[in-house]
Amino acid sequence: MVAMMHPNERIERTRQAMEAFFNDETSGHDWAHVERVWKNAQLIVQHAPSVNREHIELAALLHDRYDRKLVPDQAAAKAWVRNWLHTLGLNALQVEAILYTIDAVSYQEGKNPIQPQTLEDKIVQDADRLDAIGAIGIARTFAFSGAHHRPIYSGEPIPEARGTFLPSMHPDTAIAHFYEKLLLIADNLHTPEAQAIASKRHAFMEAFLAQFYAEWNGER
Ligand code: ADP
Ligand code: NI
């Protein structure tokens, strides 16, 4: 039986394991994404002193480890995460709470049946969503589209107002993804810190799209 590990050691071991795991992923779920989500979470935690910091950091570091887009066998990957957390010395209650946070992070076109409940769940979800918007979010969208051999844009009509986008009427272009996800994020965050960061990133995306359409139409 090893001596009880310090929370910082559990976090550091998990950080190292995830850096090694995600190192050669290039479709938008690389280690740099996970590290930014982890940093975003730490930033938000500074304003929420009563939360369980270790829970949040471990969930942020592990949040994409059993994403079904990334692993061939999601159940096996989730079992790996459960075992990893037990091996670090966390009890079953703590482990299942972290797994719930991870399960509630996922976006799934806004239709994830597992919704965040605790502030820990909400902070990790906000941290992940911040990385889907702004300059980084734009870059990830085009990287994902390219990795899936999809066009940048196909001249499809631009939705007039938020919420009027119907994916069924749109081709799978990078630009269409802004209307199905990126532009909806700022209004759907939980914490004031994430909302403040998101409003600047949102304005940047609006400016990007305006310039994009102007160039597409040969106006600028
Ligand atoms: P996250 O890890 O942020 O939860 P996802 O797993 O949904 O994000 O997707 C990874 C990245 O690829 C995100 O930046 C997301 O916006 C982008 N992405 C997801 N689906 C599409 C799509 N259909 N077209 C373009 N980009 C996409
Ligand atoms: Ni993620």
Side-chain angles (χ1 to χ4, degrees):
M1 189 66 194
V2 285
M4 189 67 180
M5 242 184 258
H6 188 274
N8 286 343
E9 189 179 344
R10 289 195 283 260
I11 291 166
E12 174 56 19
R13 287 194 187 194
T14 305
R15 187 197 68 73
Q16 284 175 16
M18 291 305 102
E19 182 171 2
F21 181 82
F22 285 107
N23 234 339
D24 48 37
E25 222 292 320
T26 53
S27 71
H29 286 99
D30 44 289
W31 162 244
H33 162 66
V34 175
E35 189 174 33
R36 286 191 302 269
V37 171
W38 178 43
K39 298 238 162 90
N40 288 343
Q42 289 173 274
L43 206 75
I44 301 170
V45 162
Q46 287 174 11
H47 301 269
S50 64
V51 297
N52 183 335
R53 179 183 68 88
E54 182 186 11
H55 174 125
I56 288 169
E57 291 195 39
L58 290 175
L61 285 167
L62 293 164
H63 85 274
D64 271 339
R65 178 60 181 79
Y66 58 91
D67 188 309
R68 74 193 125 102
K69 291 194 242 35
L70 298 178
V71 294
D73 181 345
Q74 190 180 25
K78 186 170 181 176
W80 183 92
V81 172
R82 180 178 277 117
N83 182 59
W84 173 264
L85 292 169
H86 278 294
T87 305
L88 291 180
L90 299 182
N91 67 40
L93 216 62
Q94 294 169 316
V95 171
E96 295 313 310
I98 291 172
L99 294 175
Y100 186 92
T101 299
I102 294 172
D103 289 337
V105 165
S106 169
Y107 184 70
Q108 295 175 18
E109 285 86 40
K111 296 188 202 80
N112 186 352
I114 301 166
Q115 290 296 313
Q117 293 175 355
T118 63
L119 188 51
E120 283 81 3
D121 300 339
K122 291 172 183 171
I123 287 173
V124 178
Q125 189 185 71
D126 278 4
D128 187 45
R129 293 200 175 166
L130 281 177
D131 206 52
I133 60 174
I136 295 278
I138 293 170
R140 292 180 74 213
T141 294
F142 289 102
F144 181 103
S145 268
H148 289 80
H149 310 288
R150 293 174 181 171
I152 292 172
Y153 181 50
S154 62
E156 68 265 19
I158 303 155
E160 308 248 322
R162 265 195 238 180
T164 62
F165 177 81
L166 294 174
S168 57
M169 293 168 58
H170 275 259
D172 260 333
T173 69
I175 291 294
H177 188 63
F178 282 74
Y179 299 95
E180 73 187 2
K181 179 174 174 189
L182 276 49
L183 294 171
L184 309 179
I185 287 177
D187 284 343
N188 286 293
L189 296 169
H190 306 282
T191 62
E193 297 71 39
Q195 285 161 354
I197 296 168
S199 79
K200 292 190 200 120
R201 295 188 184 187
H202 188 90
F204 182 82
M205 293 192 295
E206 301 268 31
F208 170 82
L209 286 171
Q211 178 72 20
F212 181 94
Y213 295 127
E215 292 182 18
W216 185 272
N217 295 323
E219 290 162 8
R220 270 185 237 167

